Amino acid sequence: MDAVAGTSGGSLVGALYLDGVMGIDELIGLAAKTTWRNIFTPTVPRMGLISSEGIHRFIKGHLRARNIGELKKPFAAVCADLVTGEKVVLTSGNLARAVQASCSLPVIFTPTLVAGRYLIDGGYVNQIPVLAAREEFGSGLVVAVDVNYRAKGNNTRPTGLIKLAMHLTQMVARRNAEQELPHADVVISVDIEGIQLHDIQKHEELVKRGRAAARKKVGEIREKFEALG
């Protein structure tokens, strides 16, 4: 792996992985003990129900690197500009802030101010950052991970403002993901049918499905990597 580009939760996992403090087992262990309470900081409802500063504290508390440039390999966190709707790819600067911005689901979390711009969750513009990886890193082989695969099977009527916001985010993310996936060399599709975006307590099932999806693609990844010479 030469570089990582991540959107929303993908930026969080990518940053933790490249930081090198945690291995795969440690990352799974962190997921097992993480709840919404770890990042929940209520705020006066102006630009979000929950302050995104909780995300910042959480990620900062688990990272060794303070800036993106300190990571072992190139990293990009994909966000969206709340005002213009433009895609913003952060490849330098404060690492925890970049992840915070990429994970700042609008309505739920307050936007993150970075370099004078209010940034929100990148899923609104670029859920699977295949083109961002190619544009920023010139990647020869791009392996995309689609964690929205079969999400249509979860289309039950959302109840409550937070669940509604997550449902809308997932709808938008599915749509823009379809535009990016054809540009990937290999796509690992993680079946999330029956699991909602807010169901972080179902981490064991998600890890199980993720491993199964990755194993199916190991041979294809190896063949394409060898073809690069």
Side-chain angles (χ1 to χ4, degrees), residues 2 44 53 102 131 156 171 229:
D2 295 320
V44 177
E53 285 300 310
S102 187
L131 294 179
T156 57
M171 287 175 59

Side-chain angles (χ1 to χ4, degrees), residues 19 30 64 85 88 106 125 138 151 153 157 176 189 194:
D19 190 52
L30 177 62
R64 174 180 52 194
V88 179
V125 291
R157 185 176 70 86
N176 67 54
S189 300

Side-chain angles (χ1 to χ4, degrees), residues 86-158:
E86 296 175 317
K87 177 175 72 175
V88 179
V89 183
L90 301 176
T91 57
S92 62
N94 186 283
L95 178 58
R97 288 293 179 204
V99 174
Q100 174 188 352
S102 187
C103 294
S104 294
L105 280 165
V107 179
I108 299 175
F109 292 105
T110 54
T112 301
L113 186 62
V114 177
R117 306 176 79 174
Y118 285 101
L119 304 182
I120 60 173
D121 192 293
Y124 273 82
V125 291
N126 198 190
Q127 173 67 12
I128 304 178
V130 178
L131 294 179
R134 294 199 186 280
E135 292 163 0
E136 298 296 332
F137 310 131
S139 303
L141 178 67
V142 175
V143 178
V145 182
D146 181 6
V147 294
N148 258 336
Y149 180 61
R150 298 189 70 183
K152 291 181 179 180
N154 300 333
N155 284 346
T156 57
R157 185 176 70 86

